[in-house]
Amino acid sequence: MALRAISTGKEEVASPNETAERADEIINVKPTEVVIFQGFNWESCNCNEGWYQRLMDLPGELSAAGITDVWLPPPSKSVAPQGYMPSQLYNLDESHYGSEEELKELIGRFHGAGVRCIADIVINHRCGDQQDEHGCWTIFEGGTPDERLDWGPWAITQGDSPFGGHGRPDTGEDFPAAPDIDHTNERVQRELTEWMLWLKNDVGFDGWRFDFAKGFAGEFVGKYCDATSPAFSVGELWTTMNYDGEKPDYNQDSHRQQLVDWVDSTDGRSTAFDFTTKGILQEAVQGELWRLRDPNNKPAGMIGYWPSRAVTFIDNHDTGSTQGHWPFPQDKVMQGYAYILTHPGIPCVFYDHYYEWGHKEAINQLLAVRRRNKVHSKSKCSIITAEDDLYLAEIDGRVIVKIGPRYDIGDMAPEEAKYQVAAFGDGYCIWERHQETAHKAEP
């Protein structure tokens, strides 16, 4: 099985996550070649036929497109239909996406197509099933006949108003809508670990996406990953960027450093969504493409610091979909994909853009360019220019990416004898080396 490297500050070594093998089957994916597909949006829970059923016929075509991992919605019973207010964690039959058996069948189909499945793990907070003597919803049921995950106020962080937790102080930011779980508690750690191992070994999940990761210390994500050995892990550390009035600052070093520090706090056992790149990129495509180059002539997001641990994306169920908390400009979405699918980092494609917005063919072209030219999470990005209306970069000496409305790029245009157009669309163009010259460019 391929080994994934973690940061030690001096060199890269094999991660414990990559050394564990599943007893039933292993889907071999090189860590540098991971491409994720978010397989749901905010409204998927309202699908009449059931969301798991909706996805049943998609594994083959997603695999053929180059997707290695699909991120599925939270699987447990939840107070909110989307799954992000979980209660009975072992109860998968009262999910609004479908039944436990349907989920297992869906995962089996993805595995049959060679695609791994990532579970959305919501463990920062949890909703109680019963009220305590004070009228607070602090009595938790695990969803099994025994006492697994049957907790009380002792499992809630101290001072978590209005829930009256008896645990230790919170190790992260407060989540006001539900009781925050005390991850310093050994029983909490043990029983959550058992539940995650059940999701992996019995249900079939391969990896984790940690929701609201800023709500509890990254060291606990590291512990859960160490104990469950996921094939892949990513955390949602969504914090506010640096702003100058209504516009983001040019310098976002402190913001991307937060992401790097969080990954370090997990002992390198998890990646992080690159919110810095998203925020910069969605401003850049609106006539400020100079933002994409930092003062060291590197990409300005987390991918400029630690690309092999940065999961790049355009939108998700929170930032886009019907919530639209921080949406990418709708008419520039494909420029965004032209960037993340040709650049270092671990790209994530959103269901809406692929299946509902009519971008499937264009995204597939970009995925094919990435695969054909062996672009990976650690690829070398050489920025040629970054101006208001033009961004031009060379990736690994094989691919040249142009983003922006400027048509005539003069002597910066790729030599026709060496390069050919591989993909293009509104505001972007991708060139790749002719096959014979590409071989000469191999490192």
Side-chain angles (χ1 to χ4, degrees), residues 203-382:
V203 181
F205 280 108
D206 304 280
W208 319 127
R209 178 264 184 186
F210 288 94
D211 178 67
F212 202 75
K214 65 182 178 180
F216 56 109
E219 68 177 279
F220 298 110
V221 169
K223 287 184 176 182
Y224 294 130
C225 287
D226 185 47
T228 60
S229 299
F232 185 81
S233 173
V234 60
E236 180 208 26
L237 192 79
W238 186 2
T239 61
T240 303
M241 294 179 66
N242 306 318
Y243 278 83
D244 181 12
E246 296 184 357
K247 286 281 192 179
D249 288 343
Y250 166 65
N251 188 326
Q252 295 292 336
D253 287 353
S254 63
H255 189 263
R256 56 179 170 172
Q257 187 63 48
Q258 277 187 316
L259 297 173
V260 169
D261 291 346
W262 182 84
V263 172
D264 270 332
S265 74
T266 73
D267 199 20
R269 289 182 167 88
S270 183
T271 64
F273 282 108
D274 190 351
F275 281 93
T276 315
T277 288
K278 172 183 166 53
I280 292 171
L281 183 58
Q282 65 189 35
E283 290 293 329
V285 295
Q286 301 181 80
E288 299 178 350
L289 290 163
W290 47 266
R291 290 181 177 272
L292 296 178
R293 175 166 59 181
D294 75 7
N296 296 314
N297 204 41
K298 292 184 176 182
M302 185 186 178
I303 60 171
Y305 275 6
W306 202 357
S308 65
R309 287 293 181 274
V311 176
T312 54
F313 68 105
I314 302 304
D315 266 322
N316 59 32
H317 61 290
D318 285 324
T319 65
S321 191
T322 54
Q323 292 201 96
H325 290 316
W326 199 34
F328 204 93
Q330 186 170 343
D331 61 335
K332 303 291 195 302
V333 160
M334 281 310 304
Q335 292 182 37
Y337 279 112
Y339 183 87
I340 70 169
L341 292 179
T342 59
H343 278 58
I346 302 167
C348 182
V349 176
F350 187 33
Y351 179 93
D352 289 18
H353 300 152
Y354 194 81
Y355 283 114
E356 296 186 353
W357 289 27
H359 296 317
K360 182 199 293 190
E361 183 177 347
I363 291 174
N364 281 349
Q365 286 183 337
L366 294 171
L367 286 168
V369 171
R370 185 179 186 89
R371 185 169 63 253
R372 195 162 54 237
N373 292 280
K374 301 177 182 178
V375 177
H376 54 82
S377 65
K378 297 181 181 179
S379 285
K380 180 181 178 182
C381 175
S382 301

Side-chain angles (χ1 to χ4, degrees), residues 15 24 38 46 76 122 150 153 157 168 209 236 248 253 285 309 312 417 437 440 443:
S15 163
D24 52 352
Q38 181 178 356
N46 299 318
S76 301
V122 187
D150 291 355
T157 56
R168 294 180 180 176
R209 178 264 184 186
E236 180 208 26
D253 287 353
V285 295
R309 287 293 181 274
T312 54
T437 58
K440 295 178 182 178

Side-chain angles (χ1 to χ4, degrees), residues 7-35:
S7 172
T8 63
K10 295 181 180 179
E11 58 182 4
E12 301 229 71
V13 298
S15 163
N17 292 359
E18 299 299 328
T19 61
E21 296 185 353
R22 288 185 49 169
D24 52 352
E25 64 176 301
I26 299 171
I27 298 174
N28 290 298
V29 178
K30 291 181 179 179
T32 55
E33 296 178 1
V34 171
V35 177

